């Protein structure tokens, strides 16, 4: 009886973790509300850098409060930390942006949807995750939903020549980095508190962001009036705290009790919330196909959340070579 109660409690915690991931990812969808105004003043890289500088005020004390976690950090952990801070946060965004700049936008968006497949594959290989029943079918339905959400009933590109281009490789690389970041985040949470992983993600990303902004060499500019500058600062702080800090804290809180392969499906709440924001705030029309895609994604997420999950192992195999 005691063992049965423990099993039920573990299943409940894993279900809650799944929805924490979904809620955390959903906050990413409100980012355009803040970014639209900020992009009139700063470049994308400058915005991200300023957000990370503001978040240092919270991240450093948070890391200090959980400094006991750092005593067990090894080279394999450092590799995972750098991967999520540099690869997932900075490099993936740059690669994806370059793909949009130099390639066919629909092809880039289509290939970006490979992210869950990378996460599932890496979770299976690196973390040795066991998957629930009917998971493959659920993934196919979720990917169909994201396709309809992005392209509707239309074919995304005109010819195969549009598909085979350098931008396609950039998009695939970005999807691999984002998918890998989910897996590496789950790996770190096996040995660290979610607050520690959140703080490290922001702190470690800062040096790379400084180098990127310096390399781009874009001029810094602020509105001439004090009132306009105050509005910019409020938007910047809100962007850093809500879709930045709050979303990542909730996301890692959930990921600590969720398999990476399931978390990558829960992350699909992000594009669905972005669709709602575009409709409510930016007056974008939601098509029938997009509505069907919305329903497919959330139905799949609900189905996976109520499935009985295979019990995870207590120790996860090391994904990186130890010194």
């Amino acid at each position: 009886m005691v063992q049965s109660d423990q099993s039920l409690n573990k299943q409940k915690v894993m279900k809650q973790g799944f929805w924490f991931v979904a809620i955390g990812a959903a906050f990413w969808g409100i980012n355009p509300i803040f970014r639209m105004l900020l992009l009139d003043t700063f470049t994308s890289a400058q915005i991200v850098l300023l957000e990370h500088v503001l978040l240092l005020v919270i991240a450093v004390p948070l890391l200090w409060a959980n400094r006991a976690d750092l005593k067990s950090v090894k080279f394999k952990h450092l590799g995972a930390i750098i991967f999520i801070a540099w690869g997932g946060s900075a490099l993936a965004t740059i690669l994806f942006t370059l793909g949009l700049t130099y390639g066919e936008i629909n092809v880039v968006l289509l290939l970006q949807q490979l992210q869950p497949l990378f996460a599932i594959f890496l979770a299976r290989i690196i973390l040795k995750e066991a998957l629930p029943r009917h998971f493959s079918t659920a993934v196919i339905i979720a990917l169909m939903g994201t396709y309809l959400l992005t392209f509707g009933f239309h074919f995304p590109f005109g010819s195969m020549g549009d598909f085979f281009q350098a931008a396609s490789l950039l998009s695939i690389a970005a999807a691999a980095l984002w998918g890998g970041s989910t897996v590496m985040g789950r790996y770190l949470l096996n040995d660290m508190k979610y607050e520690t992983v959140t703080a490290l993600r922001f702190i470690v990303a800062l040096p790379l962001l400084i180098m990127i902004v310096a390399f781009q060499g874009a001029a810094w500019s602020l509105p001439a009036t004090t009132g306009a500058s105050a509005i910019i600062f409020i938007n910047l702080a809100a962007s850093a705290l809500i879709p930045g800090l709050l979303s990542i804290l909730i996301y890692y809180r959930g990921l600590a009790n969720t398999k990476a392969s399931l978390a990558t499906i829960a992350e699909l709440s992000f594009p669905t919330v972005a669709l709602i924001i575009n409709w409510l705030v930016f007056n974008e029309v939601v098509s029938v196909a997009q509505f069907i895609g919305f329903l497919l994604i959330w139905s799949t997420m609900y189905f996976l959340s109520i499935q009985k999950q295979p019990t995870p192992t207590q120790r996860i195999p090391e994904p990186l070579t130890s010194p």
Side-chain angles (χ1 to χ4, degrees):
M1 179 65 70
V2 174
Q3 186 175 2
S4 177
D5 290 342
Q6 290 177 340
S7 178
L8 288 173
N9 184 61
K10 185 173 292 186
Q11 292 294 324
K12 181 180 179 181
V13 170
M14 293 174 70
K15 180 178 179 179
Q16 291 175 342
F18 181 92
W19 288 113
F20 269 116
V21 172
I23 293 170
F27 275 108
W28 303 339
I30 69 173
N31 219 343
I33 297 177
F34 308 106
R35 290 292 175 90
M36 294 303 292
L37 177 61
L38 295 174
L39 285 170
D40 291 334
T41 305
F42 306 112
T43 66
S44 295
Q46 287 173 339
I47 292 172
V48 177
L49 172 60
L50 290 172
E51 288 174 346
H52 279 67
V53 171
L54 288 176
L55 289 174
L56 277 182
V57 178
I58 299 174
V60 171
L62 195 61
L63 186 61
W64 176 255
N66 295 280
R67 60 189 180 278
D69 285 353
L70 301 180
K71 295 179 181 179
S72 60
V73 171
K74 301 176 182 177
F75 279 108
K76 60 179 183 286
H77 295 114
L78 291 176
I81 292 167
I82 291 173
F83 192 100
I84 63 173
W86 289 23
S89 294
L91 294 180
T93 303
I94 293 171
L95 292 173
F96 183 71
T97 304
L98 287 174
L100 292 174
T101 303
Y102 298 111
E104 170 60 40
I105 183 172
N106 286 336
V107 175
V108 174
L109 291 175
L110 177 64
L111 292 174
Q112 190 272 329
Q113 295 178 26
L114 294 175
Q115 176 185 340
L117 298 183
F118 281 111
I120 294 166
F121 173 76
L122 291 172
R124 184 64 178 166
I125 298 299
I126 295 174
L127 305 179
K128 308 298 182 184
E129 289 187 350
L131 302 174
R133 295 176 58 192
H134 311 301
F135 182 73
S136 298
T137 302
V139 170
I140 293 173
I141 295 174
L143 291 178
M144 288 174 56
T146 60
Y147 181 94
L148 291 174
L149 210 65
T150 308
F151 306 109
F153 295 123
H154 305 291
F155 197 60
F157 49 92
S159 65
M160 292 305 293
D162 294 330
F163 189 83
F164 294 105
Q165 52 181 317
S168 300
L169 297 177
L170 293 172
S171 182
I172 291 173
L177 288 170
W178 277 324
S181 291
T182 299
V183 175
M184 289 302 165
R186 180 63 189 87
Y187 169 72
L188 288 171
L189 289 165
N190 193 51
D191 298 311
M192 299 179 185
K193 298 183 181 70
Y194 70 92
E195 299 95 334
T196 306
V197 177
T198 300
L200 287 171
R201 176 179 177 133
F202 293 127
I203 294 171
V204 175
L206 192 57
L208 180 63
L209 290 169
I210 292 173
M211 289 188 290
I212 291 172
V213 171
F215 177 78
Q216 290 180 341
W220 291 85
S221 61
L222 282 172
T225 64
T226 303
S229 296
I231 293 174
I232 291 294
F233 178 79
I234 292 172
N235 270 271
L236 186 63
S239 178
L241 293 175
I242 301 175
L245 177 65
L246 179 61
S247 67
I248 294 297
L249 277 172
I250 296 173
Y251 173 84
Y252 282 137
R253 167 66 178 80
L255 188 60
N257 295 297
T258 307
K259 294 179 181 296
S261 48
L262 291 173
T264 193
I265 303 300
E267 290 172 16
L268 294 178
S269 62
F270 162 43
T272 62
V273 170
L275 178 74
I276 296 174
I277 293 299
N278 286 338
W279 171 49
L280 294 176
V281 179
F282 301 110
N283 299 316
E284 295 285 343
V285 176
V286 177
S287 68
V288 173
Q290 288 177 316
F291 182 68
I292 293 173
F294 181 95
L295 293 179
L296 287 176
I297 290 173
W298 281 94
S299 297
T300 303
M301 288 168 58
Y302 175 74
F303 171 77
L304 289 177
S305 73
I306 63 175
Q307 292 297 295
K308 184 176 181 180
Q309 306 302 327
T311 302
T313 56
Q314 293 299 314
R315 296 297 301 173
I316 295 176
E318 300 178 357
L320 303 174
T321 302
S322 298

